[in-house]
Amino acid sequence: MNIILLGPPGVGKGTVAGKLSEKFSFPHIATGDMLRENVAQKTELGMEAKNHMDKGLLVPDDVVIEMIKERLQKKDCEKGFILDGFPRTINQADQIGSFTKMDKVVNLHVSDELIIKRLGRRRICSECGSIYHLEYMKPKKEGICDKCSGKLHQRKDDKPDAIINRLEVYRKETEPLIKYYQDKKLIVNVDGSGTPEEVFELVVEDIS
Ligand code: AP5
């Protein structure tokens, strides 16, 4: 099954995608993670993406579309995949639609107030990318990943100014995709305000 997780920054796409990937053994493909890896390795693509990402702006479509096309051709995507953070524009959606068929588009939604609470206190493992929250999903030992003992850090774009930009960009560029996929009868709307386990159960029910 080919699934897209749609929704504003901080709604919980990465958290749900990780659990879906474990349950169904489909790869979790997150464009944000792929771009951050390129930034860390100082690749040409990463150098181009960095400025946009730090400010909370979208990376140019052609860069992201090429990266995803390449990724989806890998063998582990043959039986299905979970896209997190792609597509984010109508152009990206048209492009992916021209080379692969989607089965479900899960639209996660919560209030802006909750988004700001979630992003402001998010922490990420520098080694394995696991996601934590200082209040809702605390690591057992402060600053250390439960899974791999890597150090936890705050993303640069989780600072207040960048969060506001990301929400504005989401409303302008990405929210129109809800209607786009509604017209294709692929959307399932899921309330993302429960606990991670509750949200995951709702998503599994709705895509089954
Ligand atoms: P990306 O990394 O995709 O960021 P995002 O879409 O802004 O989403 P986030 O990763 O911030 O949030 P999430 O919804 O995954 O929430 P999470 O599960 O972490 O993109 C970053 C940047 O890369 C973009 O700004 C852009 O520059 C660029 N980019 C990426 N894709 C692109 C594309 N296609 N085109 C162009 N540019 C692109 O949860 C958030 C927090 O809440 C965590 O702390 C978590 O522990 C907590 N939490 C989650 N669920 C719950 C819950 N149910 N209850 C309580 N706490 C919860």
Side-chain angles (χ1 to χ4, degrees):
M1 187 187 288
N2 300 340
I3 302 166
I4 291 174
L5 290 179
L6 200 61
V11 73
K13 301 181 296 294
T15 302
V16 171
K19 290 175 183 293
L20 286 175
S21 169
E22 264 175 36
K23 181 174 171 75
F24 295 110
S25 303
F26 296 149
H28 167 196
I29 301 172
T31 38
D33 292 347
M34 293 168 79
L35 290 167
R36 278 185 290 277
E37 260 172 51
N38 274 279
V39 171
Q41 288 166 9
K42 296 193 166 61
T43 66
E44 201 178 315
L45 191 157
M47 303 308 270
E48 185 175 354
K50 187 177 184 320
N51 258 338
H52 301 277
M53 295 176 77
D54 286 351
K55 290 184 197 139
L57 304 174
L58 293 186
V59 173
D61 275 358
D62 51 343
V63 173
V64 188
I65 290 166
E66 265 322 297
M67 188 177 78
I68 277 289
K69 274 189 180 169
E70 228 175 81
R71 178 65 186 88
L72 293 184
Q73 276 161 20
K74 296 209 167 146
K75 203 166 168 44
D76 64 342
C77 293
E78 276 173 4
K79 291 202 175 129
F81 53 80
I82 301 153
L83 280 180
D84 160 11
F86 185 95
R88 261 177 151 97
T89 63
I90 298 281
N91 180 33
Q92 291 180 13
D94 281 342
Q95 295 286 328
I96 193 183
S98 72
F99 67 88
T100 189
K101 180 182 149 290
M102 300 313 305
D103 297 303
K104 295 278 181 196
V105 179
V106 178
N107 174 38
L108 287 172
H109 55 90
V110 302
S111 67
D112 282 3
E113 202 189 339
L114 195 50
I115 284 173
I116 289 164
K117 272 193 194 161
R118 285 185 180 178
L119 288 181
R121 308 199 71 196
R122 170 167 61 183
R123 295 294 180 271
I124 307 284
C125 175
S126 315
E127 300 294 326
C128 71
S130 292
I131 306 167
Y132 296 88
H133 189 278
L134 296 183
E135 188 182 338
Y136 308 130
M137 272 184 277
K138 286 186 186 173
K140 291 190 183 109
K141 198 169 163 199
E142 198 185 319
I144 303 290
C145 177
D146 294 350
K147 294 183 189 157
C148 74
S149 302
K151 275 198 184 158
L152 304 186
H153 74 279
Q154 184 174 32
R155 269 172 45 178
K156 276 206 176 131
D157 61 351
D158 278 349
K159 304 281 162 59
D161 283 356
I163 293 176
I164 289 168
N165 274 347
R166 285 159 67 198
L167 278 170
E168 276 173 13
V169 168
Y170 169 78
R171 302 272 177 249
K172 189 163 165 250
E173 303 282 352
T174 310
E175 209 169 49
L177 288 176
I178 299 173
K179 177 155 188 330
Y180 178 97
Y181 284 118
Q182 249 162 5
D183 292 347
K184 296 184 185 299
K185 306 208 181 325
L186 292 176
I187 281 273
V188 292
N189 290 302
V190 176
D191 177 359
S193 61
T195 65
E197 290 68 31
E198 285 167 350
V199 176
F200 171 63
E201 290 305 328
L202 285 176
V203 171
V204 171
E205 246 172 58
D206 284 347
I207 61 174
S208 301

Coordinates of all heavy atoms in Angstrom, one line a residue, residues 4-81:
I4 N 0.3 8.4 1.8 CA 0.9 9.8 2.0 C 0.4 10.3 3.4 O -0.8 10.1 3.7 CB 0.4 10.8 1.0 CG1 1.1 10.5 -0.4 CG2 0.8 12.2 1.4 CD1 0.6 11.3 -1.6
L5 N 1.3 10.8 4.2 CA 0.8 11.5 5.4 C 0.9 13.0 5.2 O 2.0 13.5 5.0 CB 1.7 11.1 6.6 CG 1.6 9.6 7.1 CD1 2.5 9.4 8.2 CD2 0.2 9.3 7.5
L6 N -0.3 13.6 5.3 CA -0.4 15.0 5.0 C -0.7 15.7 6.3 O -1.4 15.2 7.2 CB -1.5 15.2 4.0 CG -1.7 16.5 3.2 CD1 -0.5 16.6 2.3 CD2 -2.9 16.4 2.3
G7 N -0.3 17.0 6.5 CA -0.7 17.7 7.7 C 0.4 18.8 8.0 O 1.5 18.7 7.5
P8 N 0.0 19.7 8.8 CA 0.9 20.8 9.2 C 2.1 20.4 9.9 O 2.2 19.3 10.5 CB 0.1 21.8 10.0 CG -1.1 20.9 10.5 CD -1.3 19.9 9.5
P9 N 3.2 21.2 10.0 CA 4.4 20.9 10.8 C 4.0 20.6 12.2 O 3.1 21.3 12.8 CB 5.2 22.2 10.7 CG 4.4 23.2 10.1 CD 3.3 22.6 9.4
G10 N 4.5 19.5 12.8 CA 4.3 19.2 14.2 C 3.0 18.5 14.5 O 2.8 18.2 15.6
V11 N 2.3 18.2 13.5 CA 1.0 17.5 13.7 C 1.2 16.1 14.2 O 0.3 15.4 14.8 CB 0.1 17.5 12.5 CG1 0.6 16.6 11.4 CG2 -1.4 17.3 12.8
G12 N 2.4 15.5 13.9 CA 2.7 14.1 14.3 C 2.9 13.2 13.2 O 2.8 11.9 13.4
K13 N 3.2 13.7 12.0 CA 3.4 12.8 10.8 C 4.5 11.8 11.0 O 4.4 10.6 10.8 CB 3.7 13.6 9.5 CG 2.6 14.6 9.2 CD 2.9 15.4 7.9 CE 4.2 16.3 8.0 NZ 4.0 17.4 8.9
G14 N 5.6 12.3 11.5 CA 6.8 11.5 11.7 C 6.6 10.4 12.7 O 7.0 9.3 12.6
T15 N 5.9 10.8 13.8 CA 5.6 9.9 14.9 C 4.7 8.7 14.4 O 4.9 7.5 14.6 CB 4.9 10.6 16.1 OG1 5.8 11.7 16.5 CG2 4.6 9.7 17.2
V16 N 3.6 9.1 13.7 CA 2.7 8.0 13.1 C 3.4 7.2 12.1 O 3.3 6.0 12.1 CB 1.4 8.7 12.5 CG1 0.6 7.7 11.8 CG2 0.6 9.4 13.6
A17 N 4.2 7.9 11.2 CA 4.9 7.1 10.1 C 5.8 6.1 10.7 O 5.9 5.0 10.2 CB 5.6 8.1 9.2
G18 N 6.5 6.4 11.8 CA 7.4 5.4 12.4 C 6.7 4.2 12.8 O 7.1 3.1 12.6
K19 N 5.5 4.4 13.4 CA 4.7 3.3 13.9 C 4.1 2.5 12.8 O 4.1 1.2 12.8 CB 3.6 3.8 14.9 CG 4.1 4.3 16.2 CD 2.9 4.9 17.0 CE 3.3 5.6 18.3 NZ 3.8 4.6 19.3
L20 N 3.7 3.2 11.7 CA 3.1 2.4 10.6 C 4.2 1.6 9.9 O 3.9 0.5 9.5 CB 2.6 3.4 9.5 CG 1.2 4.1 9.9 CD1 0.9 5.2 8.8 CD2 0.1 3.2 10.0
S21 N 5.4 2.2 9.8 CA 6.5 1.5 9.2 C 6.8 0.2 9.9 O 7.0 -0.9 9.3 CB 7.7 2.4 9.1 OG 8.8 1.8 8.7
E22 N 6.8 0.3 11.2 CA 7.1 -0.9 12.1 C 6.0 -2.0 11.8 O 6.2 -3.2 11.7 CB 7.1 -0.6 13.5 CG 8.5 -0.3 14.1 CD 8.4 0.1 15.5 OE1 7.6 -0.3 16.3 OE2 9.3 1.0 15.8
K23 N 4.7 -1.5 11.9 CA 3.6 -2.5 11.8 C 3.5 -3.2 10.4 O 3.3 -4.4 10.3 CB 2.3 -1.7 12.0 CG 1.1 -2.7 12.0 CD -0.2 -2.0 12.4 CE -1.4 -2.8 12.2 NZ -1.6 -3.9 13.1
F24 N 3.7 -2.4 9.3 CA 3.5 -2.9 8.0 C 4.8 -3.3 7.3 O 4.7 -3.8 6.1 CB 2.7 -2.0 7.1 CG 1.3 -1.7 7.6 CD1 0.9 -0.5 8.2 CD2 0.3 -2.7 7.5 CE1 -0.4 -0.3 8.6 CE2 -1.0 -2.5 8.0 CZ -1.3 -1.3 8.5
S25 N 5.9 -3.0 7.9 CA 7.2 -3.2 7.2 C 7.4 -2.5 5.9 O 8.0 -3.0 4.9 CB 7.5 -4.7 7.0 OG 7.5 -5.3 8.2
F26 N 6.7 -1.3 5.8 CA 7.0 -0.4 4.6 C 8.0 0.6 5.0 O 8.0 1.1 6.1 CB 5.7 0.3 4.2 CG 4.5 -0.5 3.7 CD1 3.2 -0.1 4.0 CD2 4.8 -1.7 3.1 CE1 2.2 -0.9 3.6 CE2 3.7 -2.5 2.7 CZ 2.4 -2.1 2.9
P27 N 8.8 1.0 4.0 CA 9.8 2.1 4.4 C 9.1 3.4 4.7 O 8.1 3.8 4.1 CB 10.7 2.2 3.1 CG 9.9 1.6 2.0 CD 9.0 0.6 2.6
H28 N 9.6 4.1 5.7 CA 9.2 5.5 6.1 C 10.1 6.4 5.3 O 11.2 6.6 5.6 CB 9.3 5.6 7.6 CG 9.1 7.0 8.1 ND1 9.5 7.4 9.3 CD2 8.6 8.1 7.5 CE1 9.2 8.7 9.5 NE2 8.7 9.2 8.4
I29 N 9.5 7.2 4.4 CA 10.3 8.1 3.5 C 9.9 9.5 3.9 O 8.8 10.0 3.6 CB 10.1 7.8 2.0 CG1 10.5 6.3 1.8 CG2 10.9 8.7 1.2 CD1 10.1 5.8 0.4
A30 N 10.8 10.2 4.6 CA 10.6 11.5 5.1 C 11.5 12.5 4.3 O 12.7 12.4 4.5 CB 10.8 11.6 6.6
T31 N 10.9 13.4 3.5 CA 11.8 14.3 2.7 C 12.6 15.2 3.7 O 13.7 15.5 3.4 CB 11.0 15.1 1.7 OG1 9.7 15.5 2.3 CG2 10.8 14.4 0.5
G32 N 12.0 15.6 4.8 CA 12.7 16.4 5.8 C 14.0 15.7 6.3 O 15.0 16.3 6.3
D33 N 13.8 14.4 6.6 CA 15.0 13.7 7.1 C 16.0 13.5 6.0 O 17.2 13.6 6.3 CB 14.6 12.2 7.6 CG 13.7 12.3 8.8 OD1 13.6 13.3 9.5 OD2 13.1 11.2 9.1
M34 N 15.6 13.2 4.8 CA 16.5 13.0 3.7 C 17.3 14.3 3.4 O 18.5 14.3 3.2 CB 15.8 12.6 2.4 CG 15.2 11.2 2.5 SD 14.0 10.9 1.2 CE 15.1 10.5 -0.1
L35 N 16.6 15.5 3.5 CA 17.2 16.8 3.3 C 18.2 17.1 4.4 O 19.4 17.5 4.1 CB 16.2 17.9 3.1 CG 15.3 17.8 1.9 CD1 14.1 18.8 2.0 CD2 16.2 18.2 0.7
R36 N 17.8 16.8 5.6 CA 18.7 17.1 6.8 C 20.0 16.2 6.7 O 21.1 16.7 7.0 CB 18.0 16.8 8.1 CG 17.1 18.1 8.5 CD 16.5 17.9 9.9 NE 15.5 16.8 9.9 CZ 14.2 17.1 9.5 NH1 13.8 18.3 9.2 NH2 13.3 16.1 9.5
E37 N 19.9 15.0 6.2 CA 21.0 14.1 6.0 C 22.0 14.7 5.0 O 23.2 14.7 5.2 CB 20.6 12.7 5.5 CG 20.5 11.7 6.5 CD 19.9 10.4 5.9 OE1 20.4 9.9 4.9 OE2 19.0 9.9 6.6
N38 N 21.4 15.3 3.9 CA 22.2 15.9 2.9 C 22.9 17.2 3.5 O 24.1 17.5 3.1 CB 21.4 16.3 1.7 CG 21.3 15.2 0.7 OD1 22.2 14.9 -0.1 ND2 20.2 14.4 0.8
V39 N 22.2 17.9 4.3 CA 22.8 19.1 5.0 C 24.0 18.7 5.8 O 25.1 19.2 5.7 CB 21.8 19.9 5.8 CG1 22.4 21.0 6.6 CG2 20.7 20.4 4.9
A40 N 23.8 17.6 6.6 CA 24.8 17.1 7.6 C 26.0 16.7 6.8 O 27.2 16.9 7.2 CB 24.3 16.0 8.4
Q41 N 25.8 16.1 5.6 CA 26.9 15.5 4.8 C 27.5 16.6 3.9 O 28.4 16.3 3.1 CB 26.5 14.3 4.0 CG 26.3 13.1 4.9 CD 25.5 12.0 4.2 OE1 25.3 12.1 3.0 NE2 25.1 11.0 4.9
K42 N 26.9 17.8 3.9 CA 27.4 18.9 3.1 C 27.4 18.6 1.6 O 28.4 18.9 0.9 CB 28.7 19.4 3.6 CG 28.8 20.0 5.0 CD 30.1 20.8 5.2 CE 30.1 21.6 6.4 NZ 29.9 21.1 7.7
T43 N 26.4 17.8 1.1 CA 26.3 17.6 -0.3 C 25.9 18.8 -1.0 O 25.4 19.8 -0.4 CB 25.3 16.4 -0.6 OG1 24.0 16.9 -0.2 CG2 25.6 15.2 0.2
E44 N 26.0 18.8 -2.3 CA 25.5 20.0 -3.1 C 24.0 20.3 -2.9 O 23.6 21.4 -2.6 CB 25.8 19.7 -4.6 CG 25.8 20.9 -5.5 CD 26.1 20.5 -6.9 OE1 27.0 19.7 -7.1 OE2 25.4 21.1 -7.8
L45 N 23.3 19.2 -2.9 CA 21.8 19.3 -2.6 C 21.6 19.9 -1.2 O 20.7 20.8 -1.0 CB 21.2 17.9 -2.7 CG 19.7 17.7 -2.7 CD1 19.4 16.4 -3.4 CD2 19.1 17.7 -1.4
G46 N 22.4 19.4 -0.2 CA 22.2 19.8 1.2 C 22.5 21.3 1.3 O 21.8 22.1 2.0
M47 N 23.6 21.8 0.6 CA 24.0 23.2 0.7 C 22.9 24.1 0.1 O 22.6 25.1 0.6 CB 25.3 23.4 -0.1 CG 26.5 22.6 0.3 SD 26.7 22.7 2.1 CE 27.8 24.1 2.2
E48 N 22.2 23.6 -1.0 CA 21.1 24.3 -1.6 C 19.9 24.4 -0.7 O 19.2 25.4 -0.5 CB 20.8 23.7 -3.0 CG 19.7 24.6 -3.7 CD 19.4 24.1 -5.1 OE1 20.0 23.2 -5.6 OE2 18.4 24.7 -5.6
A49 N 19.7 23.2 0.0 CA 18.4 23.1 0.8 C 18.5 23.9 2.1 O 17.5 24.4 2.6 CB 18.2 21.7 1.1
K50 N 19.7 24.0 2.7 CA 19.9 24.5 4.1 C 19.3 25.8 4.4 O 18.5 26.0 5.3 CB 21.4 24.5 4.4 CG 21.7 24.9 5.9 CD 23.1 24.8 6.2 CE 23.4 25.1 7.7 NZ 22.7 26.0 8.4
N51 N 19.6 26.8 3.5 CA 19.0 28.2 3.7 C 17.5 28.2 3.8 O 16.9 28.8 4.7 CB 19.4 29.1 2.5 CG 20.6 29.9 3.0 OD1 20.8 30.1 4.2 ND2 21.3 30.4 2.0
H52 N 16.9 27.4 2.9 CA 15.4 27.4 2.9 C 14.9 26.8 4.1 O 14.0 27.2 4.8 CB 14.9 26.6 1.7 CG 15.4 27.1 0.3 ND1 14.7 28.1 -0.3 CD2 16.4 26.7 -0.4 CE1 15.4 28.3 -1.5 NE2 16.4 27.5 -1.6
M53 N 15.5 25.7 4.5 CA 15.0 24.9 5.7 C 15.2 25.6 7.0 O 14.2 25.7 7.8 CB 15.8 23.5 5.8 CG 15.5 22.7 4.6 SD 16.5 21.2 4.7 CE 15.6 20.2 5.9
D54 N 16.3 26.3 7.2 CA 16.5 27.0 8.5 C 15.5 28.1 8.6 O 15.1 28.4 9.8 CB 17.9 27.6 8.5 CG 19.0 26.5 8.7 OD1 18.6 25.4 9.1 OD2 20.2 26.9 8.6
K55 N 15.0 28.7 7.5 CA 14.0 29.8 7.6 C 12.6 29.2 7.7 O 11.6 30.0 7.8 CB 14.2 30.7 6.4 CG 15.4 31.5 6.4 CD 15.4 32.5 5.2 CE 16.8 33.0 5.0 NZ 17.2 33.0 3.6
G56 N 12.4 27.9 7.5 CA 11.1 27.4 7.5 C 10.4 27.5 6.1 O 9.2 27.4 6.0
L57 N 11.2 27.7 5.1 CA 10.6 27.8 3.7 C 10.8 26.5 3.0 O 11.6 25.7 3.3 CB 11.3 28.9 2.9 CG 11.3 30.3 3.6 CD1 12.2 31.3 2.8 CD2 9.9 30.8 3.7
L58 N 10.0 26.3 1.9 CA 10.1 25.1 1.1 C 11.4 25.1 0.3 O 11.8 26.1 -0.3 CB 8.9 24.9 0.2 CG 7.6 24.6 0.9 CD1 6.5 24.3 -0.2 CD2 7.6 23.5 1.9
V59 N 12.0 23.9 0.1 CA 13.1 23.7 -0.8 C 12.5 23.6 -2.2 O 11.4 23.1 -2.4 CB 13.8 22.4 -0.4 CG1 14.9 22.0 -1.4 CG2 14.4 22.5 1.0
P60 N 13.2 24.2 -3.2 CA 12.6 24.2 -4.6 C 12.1 22.8 -5.0 O 12.8 21.8 -4.8 CB 13.8 24.7 -5.5 CG 14.6 25.5 -4.5 CD 14.5 24.8 -3.2
D61 N 11.0 22.8 -5.7 CA 10.3 21.6 -6.1 C 11.2 20.6 -6.9 O 11.3 19.4 -6.6 CB 9.1 21.9 -7.1 CG 7.9 22.2 -6.3 OD1 7.9 22.1 -5.1 OD2 6.9 22.5 -7.0
D62 N 12.0 21.2 -7.9 CA 12.8 20.2 -8.7 C 13.8 19.4 -7.9 O 14.0 18.2 -8.2 CB 13.5 21.0 -9.9 CG 14.3 22.2 -9.3 OD1 14.1 22.6 -8.2 OD2 15.2 22.7 -10.1
V63 N 14.4 20.0 -6.8 CA 15.3 19.3 -6.0 C 14.7 18.2 -5.3 O 15.2 17.0 -5.3 CB 15.9 20.3 -4.9 CG1 16.8 19.6 -3.9 CG2 16.6 21.5 -5.6
V64 N 13.5 18.4 -4.7 CA 12.8 17.4 -3.9 C 12.2 16.3 -4.8 O 12.3 15.1 -4.4 CB 11.7 18.1 -3.0 CG1 11.1 17.1 -2.1 CG2 12.2 19.3 -2.3
I65 N 11.7 16.7 -5.9 CA 11.0 15.7 -6.8 C 12.1 14.7 -7.3 O 11.8 13.5 -7.3 CB 10.3 16.4 -7.9 CG1 9.1 17.2 -7.4 CG2 9.9 15.4 -9.0 CD1 8.5 18.2 -8.4
E66 N 13.2 15.2 -7.7 CA 14.3 14.3 -8.2 C 14.7 13.3 -7.1 O 14.9 12.1 -7.3 CB 15.5 15.1 -8.6 CG 15.6 15.4 -10.1 CD 15.1 14.3 -11.0 OE1 15.7 13.2 -11.0 OE2 14.0 14.4 -11.7
M67 N 14.8 13.9 -5.9 CA 15.3 13.1 -4.7 C 14.3 11.9 -4.4 O 14.6 10.8 -4.2 CB 15.4 14.0 -3.5 CG 16.0 13.4 -2.3 SD 16.2 14.7 -1.0 CE 14.5 14.8 -0.4
I68 N 13.0 12.3 -4.5 CA 11.9 11.3 -4.2 C 11.8 10.3 -5.3 O 11.7 9.1 -5.1 CB 10.6 12.0 -4.0 CG1 10.5 12.5 -2.6 CG2 9.4 11.1 -4.3 CD1 10.3 11.4 -1.5
K69 N 11.9 10.7 -6.6 CA 11.8 9.8 -7.7 C 12.9 8.7 -7.6 O 12.6 7.5 -7.7 CB 12.1 10.5 -9.0 CG 10.8 11.1 -9.6 CD 11.1 11.6 -11.0 CE 9.8 12.2 -11.6 NZ 10.1 13.0 -12.8
E70 N 14.1 9.1 -7.2 CA 15.2 8.2 -7.1 C 14.9 7.2 -5.9 O 15.1 6.0 -6.0 CB 16.5 9.0 -6.7 CG 17.7 8.6 -7.5 CD 18.8 9.6 -7.1 OE1 19.5 9.3 -6.1 OE2 19.0 10.5 -7.9
R71 N 14.4 7.8 -4.8 CA 14.2 6.9 -3.6 C 13.1 5.9 -3.9 O 13.2 4.7 -3.5 CB 13.8 7.8 -2.4 CG 13.5 7.1 -1.1 CD 14.7 6.4 -0.6 NE 14.4 5.5 0.6 CZ 14.0 4.3 0.5 NH1 13.9 3.6 -0.6 NH2 13.8 3.6 1.6
L72 N 12.1 6.3 -4.6 CA 10.9 5.3 -4.8 C 11.3 4.2 -5.8 O 10.6 3.2 -5.9 CB 9.7 6.1 -5.3 CG 9.1 7.1 -4.3 CD1 7.8 7.7 -4.9 CD2 8.8 6.4 -3.0
Q73 N 12.4 4.4 -6.5 CA 12.8 3.3 -7.4 C 13.5 2.2 -6.7 O 13.8 1.1 -7.3 CB 13.7 3.9 -8.5 CG 12.8 4.5 -9.7 CD 13.6 5.4 -10.5 OE1 14.8 5.4 -10.5 NE2 12.9 6.3 -11.2
K74 N 13.9 2.4 -5.4 CA 14.6 1.3 -4.7 C 13.7 0.1 -4.4 O 12.5 0.3 -4.3 CB 15.2 1.9 -3.4 CG 16.2 3.0 -3.7 CD 17.2 3.1 -2.6 CE 18.4 4.0 -3.2 NZ 19.0 4.8 -2.2
K75 N 14.3 -1.0 -4.3 CA 13.6 -2.3 -4.1 C 12.7 -2.3 -2.9 O 11.6 -2.9 -3.0 CB 14.7 -3.4 -4.1 CG 14.1 -4.7 -4.5 CD 15.2 -5.8 -4.7 CE 14.7 -7.2 -4.8 NZ 13.5 -7.3 -5.6
D76 N 13.1 -1.7 -1.8 CA 12.3 -1.8 -0.6 C 10.9 -1.1 -0.8 O 10.0 -1.2 0.1 CB 13.0 -1.3 0.6 CG 13.3 0.2 0.5 OD1 13.3 0.8 -0.6 OD2 13.6 0.9 1.5
C77 N 10.7 -0.3 -1.9 CA 9.4 0.4 -2.1 C 8.4 -0.5 -2.9 O 7.3 0.0 -3.1 CB 9.6 1.7 -2.8 SG 10.6 2.9 -1.8
E78 N 8.9 -1.7 -3.4 CA 8.0 -2.4 -4.3 C 6.7 -2.8 -3.7 O 5.7 -2.7 -4.4 CB 8.8 -3.7 -4.7 CG 9.7 -3.5 -5.9 CD 10.5 -4.7 -6.2 OE1 10.3 -5.7 -5.6 OE2 11.4 -4.5 -7.1
K79 N 6.6 -3.1 -2.4 CA 5.3 -3.6 -1.8 C 4.5 -2.4 -1.2 O 3.4 -2.6 -0.8 CB 5.6 -4.6 -0.8 CG 6.1 -5.9 -1.4 CD 5.9 -7.1 -0.5 CE 6.3 -8.4 -1.2 NZ 7.2 -9.2 -0.4
G80 N 5.2 -1.3 -1.1 CA 4.5 -0.1 -0.5 C 5.4 0.8 0.2 O 6.6 0.4 0.5
F81 N 5.0 2.0 0.5 CA 5.8 3.0 1.2 C 4.9 4.0 1.9 O 3.8 4.1 1.6 CB 6.8 3.6 0.3 CG 6.1 4.2 -0.9 CD1 5.5 5.5 -0.9 CD2 6.1 3.6 -2.2 CE1 4.9 6.0 -2.0 CE2 5.5 4.1 -3.3 CZ 4.9 5.3 -3.2

